[in-house]
Amino acid sequence: MKKRYVYPFSDGDGHDKKLLGGKGANLCQMTQIGINVPPGFVITTEACLDYLQGNQLPSGLLVAVRNEISKLEAATNKTFGTGPNPLLVSVRSGSALSMPGMMDTILNLGLNDETLTGLIQQTGDERFVYDAYRRFIQLFGKVALGIGDEKFDEHFEAVKSRVGVKVDVGLEASHLKEISEKFLDVVHHETGEEFPQDVMMQLQRAVEAVFRSWRGKRAIAYRREFQITPDMANGTAANIQTMVFGNMGNDCATGVGFSRNPGTGENEMYGEYLTNAQGEDVVAGIRTPNPLQQMENEMPSQFAQLVELQTKLEAHFQEVQDYEFTIEKGTLYCLQTRNGKMNAAAMVKTSVDMYREKLISKRQALLRIDPEFLEQLLHPRLDPSSTIKPIAQGLPASPGAASGKCIFDADLAEKLGKSGEQVILVREETRPDDIHGFFAAQGILTSRGGKTSHAAVVARGMGKPCVAGAEGINVDISLRQAKVGSRIIHEGDIITLDGASGEVFPGAIPTIEPHFSDELTVLLGWADEAADMKVMANADTPDAARKAREYGAMGIGLCRTERMFNARDRLPIVIDMILADTREDRKAALNKLLPIQRADFIELFSVMSPDPVTVRLLDPPMHEFLPTEQQLIDQIETLRMYRNVVKGRQTAIAALATPPPLPEPFRELNEELVDDVLSKKVQMLGKVRELREINPMLGHRGVRLGITYPEIYAMQIRAILEAAMECAENGIEVRPEIMVPQVITSQELLHVKKTVDRLVDQLETEFGKKLRFTFGTMIETVRACTRARRLAEIAEFFSFGTNDLTQATFSFSREDAENKFLPMYNDSGILQDNPFEVLDIQGLGQLIEMAVQQGREGREGLKIGICGEQGGHPESIRFCHHIGLDYVSCSGPRVPVARLAVANSKLREKEYVVPGRIPA
Ligand code: ADP
Ligand code: MG
Ligand code: MG
């Protein structure tokens, strides 16, 4: 069958945006539901592609176009290119997706010497006709003939300044006539040819120019930037439409509107118009337009038409509309409509409102919002109107924005923070003993480390903004300053971080605070009802758990106990535990930790009651709790020198007949004391050297640590179980889940399980009460995936730890990847995404799918979830839903995003195709 290239608005399939373009398709829809649209037709995107391929308009196209023009002539009672009532048209581009950078619209096409005279006679308005003419010549000259705007503007401005007017409405017919003639000269001068008199030739060249603009530099760059594939939009359509005139006098106008306020979502008139103006005048800022509300007084009956138009549009498209209109001699025409782009707050509000107005279903209310969009609502953002330029760029490690004084150590940050100052903790990199500084700071900035650096992970957990690895910043602690290029930031100077972009700014930029609106609560409630997968939070402390609850978490999917070890009052005990040379010494330290951990768990379980709390047993290698070797070497050297000073002082004092009174601290500080400290440090250094590993992340950690030092896991398991028992005693319903990290074989699980069983027996006998808990494993090694069936015979749940599992699958470490080559891999398209943020469905996805299937073979109804960062990413969640996971767990602030994503996954499961796989 021969392709059909041309569709009148009354006949085109308004749902086929790929064929007709967004603008054309919507013009068809509006025409067909009886909205007042100037008649016209669409030339398809296929015609565009064929033109670009063959370098000429496809055969038969011009005949079809001529034919449609004849129909327009009949419908409007006008004639094209001739006669006393001439037909003028616009030629407008439009592809499936709106795309700035394609060609401008040509208005008033069809004017030549003959129709110019006809139109003047017909309207009796010479000024209007020359105004239309000069616009046409310029637009046609620019778009179809490639003549720069400035060639025309120069003459236009010259006439304006000679006449002494600022705006175009001040010009009279004679001036506009003069300008038109000058413009014709410009065309002649620039192209060596006369301006075409043949209107079909005008039309043909305009259409060709529209089609060519698809291959324009700006359009191509735009498509690349926004990853618009031919599958999404291929070629542009050309829309030919009868002109209506907003510039025929004061009963005419042109304007743009939104059916609701796109800033707030409020259901109110929103937009602007200009009387006696045409086309782009409103947006071009030629005169200051009036708010639409003003029309109610100025043109009441047209205002009523506008209200009716909005209502019709929303009812039909079931979406907030962004439309263009023109009023010609009192009659309103709609020239374009499309779905309105709004901010997240407005999207949420309009979803809830439109459902309540019975305009859309709950399903639509949920699906029309991209879950990722909600992120905007959950963190403070920088005021978008700020024009301050960043001074450094790091990794966007934890979203949100904050300003404060630059402070270079955690102690000072804590001190200032406590006295109510806003501070940003700035470090080369952070360590567990900086944690009190995190609590006090508004945001964290490091010059080293990636998105899983200590700073990044801890900041994300706390929901504080963090920029990590800003390598352009040179922190010099001794001078208490940082250098950024030639600029010096002194301690106490104010800076601003944008954790969503990774930018660092000088000075304070105002932020917009997040706001969990009533509408968002309602919407997410609907999401929970629609979903069949749970959303849990990764939370390590009772505070984080409370926050997660506010975000709607349905439990804790990952509590990393080592975070509890890092708190200031515990770290010394943990260090004692690590330094212990005998099992007895180690047990003594652990006995001190036990009540502390138990108390943490009691609080955590109570906050989440009655929902599950998955506690992961100790995971990181032990040396992470100790200072680095170099730090210790430096300290030891300093202490040795200091010992000599102390010694010298003692000798001096002894030699004096009447020793001077010393300040308090010095009286106590004798040689023995310093020796004591020194020997501790030396011991610690020995331990650090003993614990040193070539590849700590692949070394002595996780369950391997738990098996070689069984008393550590025993203490933690006891703390969990005793906490659960105590809660149960107090009538608090709790569901602890004990999770073992880094497992590679069922033997490891059996080993730990034995300890669990022994302790459960003990406690149950002691309290005469049954404990309710589950025992499971994290799946974060490749071997665990391949042994899933066997593991599931022991584990009651699996949780995919997709950070380590991604590292294991790719065989590169996250830090090195993100700091060294991953950005380049992403830029050049070698890897599409950062696999630590977006689940690698094609590779890792296969492993996970296999493990899920085999795990469920090993144990019917095995509970399975994911607790890596990808668990909060909508596309990754869709895959998790597709393969039947029971829950996702993500950082607290991502929970709302995940709740909506989980609902979307369920609602759109039928149409889901695993990326990279051929649909069945
Ligand atoms: P864009 O996609 O850049 O908005 P449009 O094709 O919508 O370009 O056209 C630019 C301007 O010209 C708009 O203000 C539009 O309303 C106006 N316009 C387009 N066609 C006509 C027409 N047939 N009659 C009157 N105004 C028109
Ligand atoms: Mg438009
Ligand atoms: Mg891990």
Side-chain angles (χ1 to χ4, degrees):
M1 204 175 74
K2 224 169 151 246
K3 276 185 208 163
R4 180 172 170 190
Y5 286 122
V6 179
Y7 292 86
F9 295 161
S10 54
D11 192 25
D13 173 4
H15 296 285
D16 197 347
K17 294 208 158 94
K18 265 200 83 179
L19 184 68
L20 303 180
K23 195 182 284 169
N26 280 353
L27 285 167
C28 290
Q29 288 198 45
M30 287 196 289
T31 303
Q32 291 162 27
I33 62 166
I35 286 175
N36 199 21
V37 174
F41 56 93
V42 191
I43 308 178
T44 66
T45 55
E46 278 178 0
C48 169
L49 295 177
D50 290 351
Y51 166 78
L52 290 173
Q53 170 127 50
N55 254 324
Q56 58 180 32
L57 291 177
S59 77
L61 177 60
L62 284 174
V63 177
V65 167
R66 178 65 244 185
N67 192 23
E68 283 305 326
I69 291 279
S70 305
K71 286 201 238 158
L72 278 190
E73 289 176 321
T76 57
N77 215 5
K78 297 174 189 238
T79 45
F80 193 47
T82 175
N85 184 13
L87 171 70
L88 303 191
V89 296
S90 63
V91 179
R92 320 170 66 187
S93 64
S95 74
L97 294 174
S98 114
M99 207 175 292
M102 282 190 338
M103 75 143 232
D104 293 323
T105 293
I106 299 179
L107 300 177
N108 311 328
L109 187 140
L111 281 173
N112 57 16
D113 291 347
E114 187 183 338
T115 52
L116 196 71
T117 323
L119 202 59
I120 292 171
Q121 272 169 10
Q122 182 202 14
T123 60
D125 188 346
E126 205 178 344
R127 187 193 179 281
F128 154 69
V129 178
Y130 279 107
D131 187 43
Y133 197 32
R134 61 97 188 169
R135 287 173 197 264
F136 172 49
I137 303 166
Q138 175 162 2
L139 278 168
F140 188 88
K142 174 170 122 182
V143 175
L145 307 174
I147 305 169
D149 264 331
E150 66 288 349
K151 297 270 178 349
F152 297 103
D153 291 345
E154 183 186 314
H155 295 281
F156 195 69
E157 292 308 317
V159 173
K160 274 208 301 196
S161 85
R162 195 191 70 224
V163 180
V165 299
K166 284 224 173 62
V167 290
D168 56 343
V169 277
L171 295 171
E172 287 168 15
S174 63
H175 304 129
L176 290 164
K177 181 169 182 208
E178 180 190 341
I179 289 170
S180 301
E181 280 156 6
K182 286 236 170 73
F183 280 9
L184 289 174
D185 289 344
V186 169
V187 170
H188 190 188
H189 183 256
E190 293 295 319
T191 65
E193 283 170 41
E194 292 298 330
F195 193 83
Q197 290 291 314
D198 175 354
V199 293
M200 273 310 286
M201 179 55 74
Q202 292 176 357
L203 188 54
Q204 176 183 342
R205 304 198 58 172
V207 171
E208 286 173 348
V210 169
F211 288 167
R212 277 198 308 273
S213 72
W214 179 253
R215 287 272 168 82
K217 240 179 131 175
R218 277 190 306 158
I220 289 177
Y222 185 87
R223 290 199 289 277
R224 183 172 325 119
E225 172 72 23
F226 292 94
Q227 299 181 10
I228 297 174
T229 58
D231 200 43
M232 297 154 79
N234 206 6
T236 176
N239 302 288
I240 317 296
Q241 186 172 29
T242 310
M243 282 304 303
V244 288
F245 300 102
N247 53 340
M248 279 179 122
N250 285 333
D251 53 354
C252 301
T254 181
V256 293
F258 258 86
S259 59
R260 297 178 193 230
N261 184 325
T264 63
E266 213 63 57
N267 190 357
E268 62 193 9
M269 275 282 180
Y270 185 94
E272 293 174 322
Y273 73 105
L274 268 177
T275 41
N276 201 8
Q278 186 175 40
E280 307 282 32
D281 290 0
V282 174
V283 255
I286 290 172
R287 279 177 278 149
T288 310
N290 303 318
L292 282 185
Q293 277 84 352
Q294 197 167 313
M295 228 166 111
E296 194 165 10
N297 296 324
E298 215 172 356
M299 307 170 117
S301 87
Q302 286 71 30
F303 184 77
Q305 290 175 42
L306 198 65
V307 173
E308 192 194 321
L309 169 69
Q310 279 201 26
T311 315
K312 258 194 181 162
L313 286 177
E314 277 202 350
H316 175 73
F317 289 98
Q318 306 192 324
E319 187 47 272
V320 175
Q321 293 297 298
D322 164 0
Y323 58 89
E324 294 173 359
F325 67 93
T326 284
I327 296 169
E328 179 183 299
K329 302 246 173 243
T331 305
L332 179 88
Y333 296 87
C334 186
L335 287 161
Q336 183 177 333
T337 193
R338 60 183 164 202
N339 294 345
K341 283 206 168 62
M342 287 169 275
N343 67 24
M347 280 303 282
V348 171
K349 174 155 176 57
T350 50
S351 253
V352 173
D353 284 356
M354 289 197 296
Y355 170 77
R356 289 183 173 152
E357 293 161 24
K358 298 199 165 51
L359 222 51
I360 56 174
S361 65
K362 271 189 192 170
R363 180 191 163 88
Q364 287 172 301
L366 291 168
L367 287 183
R368 70 191 274 276
I369 304 177
D370 175 0
E372 199 68 64
F373 216 49
L374 292 187
E375 180 93 42
Q376 257 188 40
L377 295 178
L378 306 168
H379 299 284
R381 298 174 282 139
L382 291 185
D383 182 345
S385 65
S386 161
T387 52
I388 298 177
K389 295 258 174 308
I391 47 168
Q393 173 78 51
L395 296 167
S398 175
S403 304
K405 286 187 173 166
C406 241
I407 300 297
F408 297 119
D409 75 78
D411 291 337
L412 185 57
E414 182 179 44
K415 199 170 137 219
L416 293 179
K418 279 203 171 136
S419 70
E421 300 241 32
Q422 311 264 9
V423 305
I424 305 284
L425 180 62
V426 184
R427 306 278 287 160
E428 203 156 69
E429 58 188 347
T430 61
R431 297 189 53 80
D433 50 8
D434 288 326
I435 193 83
H436 54 299
F438 279 69
F439 284 119
Q442 262 57 49
I444 288 88
L445 168 62
T446 66
S447 58
R448 278 222 307 261
K451 287 194 193 169
T452 39
S453 60
H454 176 264
V457 177
V458 174
R460 275 201 297 276
M462 292 184 181
K464 294 197 175 184
C466 173
V467 174
E471 287 178 356
I473 299 183
N474 256 313
V475 182
D476 187 335
I477 288 283
S478 59
L479 291 178
R480 302 212 76 90
Q481 66 179 33
K483 256 183 141 171
V484 192
S486 59
R487 183 185 197 121
I488 291 182
I489 304 174
H490 298 281
E491 188 155 50
D493 288 356
I494 305 243
I495 58 167
T496 299
L497 302 183
D498 184 348
S501 69
E503 288 167 316
V504 182
F505 301 88
I509 300 176
T511 51
I512 300 170
E513 283 308 306
H515 171 56
F516 219 101
S517 66
D518 292 348
E519 280 93 0
L520 184 56
T521 307
V522 169
L523 187 87
L524 291 177
W526 296 345
D528 295 346
E529 282 167 26
D532 59 358
M533 203 158 109
K534 295 218 149 135
V535 179
M536 319 285 261
N538 297 347
D540 306 322
T541 60
D543 265 348
R546 268 184 283 270
K547 274 235 182 80
R549 261 287 191 240
E550 282 168 30
Y551 288 124
M554 303 157 200
I556 291 179
L558 175 64
C559 166
R560 291 157 290 199
T561 40
E562 59 270 19
R563 293 285 145 70
M564 296 175 165
F565 282 12
N566 278 331
R568 259 198 142 184
D569 51 333
R570 299 145 198 218
L571 198 55
I573 313 179
V574 174
I575 290 177
D576 278 350
M577 188 264 291
I578 296 171
L579 292 182
D581 282 325
T582 64
R583 175 158 289 192
E584 294 320 304
D585 287 354
R586 192 168 316 114
K587 273 200 169 148
L590 285 167
N591 279 340
K592 281 196 229 162
L593 278 177
L594 175 69
I596 304 178
Q597 284 242 295
R598 186 175 52 217
D600 285 336
F601 290 138
I602 290 176
E603 205 180 339
L604 207 56
F605 293 164
S606 308
V607 173
M608 290 323 274
S609 164
D611 291 321
V613 175
T614 309
V615 181
R616 179 180 70 184
L617 301 177
L618 192 68
D619 181 49
M622 294 216 275
H623 62 74
E624 280 207 357
F625 297 101
L626 300 178
T628 63
E629 182 175 7
Q630 194 54 51
Q631 277 173 331
L632 284 168
I633 290 173
D634 291 350
Q635 287 174 357
I636 288 169
E637 192 184 300
T638 317
L639 280 170
R640 284 203 171 119
M641 291 192 299
Y642 187 55
R643 184 176 52 182
N644 279 344
V645 172
V646 172
K647 206 166 150 186
R649 201 194 58 212
Q650 275 169 346
T651 315
I653 288 172
L656 287 173
T658 45
L662 283 172
E664 187 81 42
F666 290 100
R667 251 175 283 159
E668 302 294 327
L669 210 55
N670 53 37
E671 201 184 333
E672 293 72 41
L673 246 161
V674 181
D675 265 341
D676 224 36
V677 178
L678 196 53
S679 76
K680 255 219 160 115
K681 293 278 177 190
V682 171
Q683 189 201 358
M684 207 185 274
L685 179 61
K687 200 74 188 178
V688 165
R689 287 184 169 147
E690 182 189 318
L691 292 175
R692 184 168 51 200
E693 292 174 293
I694 304 291
N695 276 316
M697 284 301 131
L698 302 175
H700 195 184
R701 59 174 292 211
V703 68
R704 306 187 276 274
L705 202 61
I707 285 176
T708 44
Y709 298 101
E711 54 283 355
I712 301 180
Y713 274 18
M715 181 280 286
Q716 292 198 296
I717 294 166
R718 178 182 280 279
I720 296 167
L721 295 174
E722 286 183 356
M725 196 53 104
E726 190 164 328
C727 286
E729 292 277 282
N730 292 324
I732 302 169
E733 197 181 326
V734 294
R735 293 196 35 213
E737 313 202 314
I738 299 172
M739 182 159 76
V740 186
Q742 293 290 338
V743 167
I744 54 165
T745 161
S746 58
Q747 289 306 317
E748 289 169 325
L749 271 186
L750 279 175
H751 214 92
V752 181
K753 182 79 178 2
K754 250 188 243 154
T755 310
V756 173
D757 289 343
R758 177 170 55 81
L759 289 169
V760 168
D761 270 356
Q762 249 180 41
L763 280 174
E764 288 187 343
T765 333
E766 190 181 323
F767 285 83
K769 227 184 184 144
K770 279 266 167 228
L771 268 175
R772 195 165 153 235
F773 74 97
T774 53
F775 179 77
T777 179
M778 211 154 165
I779 302 282
E780 48 188 344
T781 66
V782 175
R783 195 171 192 283
C785 293
T786 62
R787 299 296 294 156
R789 184 181 299 124
R790 183 79 183 96
L791 293 178
E793 286 166 12
I794 302 152
E796 292 161 282
F797 66 88
F798 280 180
S799 176
F800 287 98
T802 46
N803 190 44
D804 277 319
L805 193 51
T806 300
Q807 303 199 83
T809 307
F810 283 80
S811 292
F812 53 56
S813 84
R814 180 172 188 173
E815 300 244 315
D816 292 330
E818 286 181 345
N819 282 326
K820 300 284 190 312
F821 53 85
L822 199 51
M824 182 268 173
Y825 263 45
N826 289 151
D827 282 349
S828 62
I830 293 176
L831 280 179
Q832 188 99 56
D833 296 300
N834 177 346
F836 297 101
E837 291 169 357
V838 178
L839 193 74
D840 164 42
I841 292 171
Q842 308 201 2
L844 177 53
Q846 301 224 9
L847 264 182
I848 293 182
E849 213 176 340
M850 180 190 75
V852 168
Q853 197 195 337
Q854 299 196 359
R856 294 232 162 99
E857 278 168 28
R859 178 186 295 265
E860 212 180 308
L862 176 75
K863 179 170 144 181
I864 309 180
I866 173 176
C867 64
E869 185 173 329
Q870 299 94 334
H873 175 257
E875 265 313 302
S876 312
I877 290 176
R878 276 199 90 179
F879 176 73
C880 292
H881 180 265
H882 180 71
I883 58 170
L885 295 204
D886 299 295
Y887 70 91
V888 298
S889 187
C890 55
S891 73
R894 287 298 287 188
V895 165
V897 174
R899 284 165 74 193
L900 187 55
V902 160
N904 281 4
S905 304
K906 158 85 176 170
L907 294 172
R908 291 163 61 208
E909 175 58 35
K910 274 211 192 79
E911 67 203 60
Y912 184 71
V913 179
V914 178
R917 270 183 232 174
I918 319 250

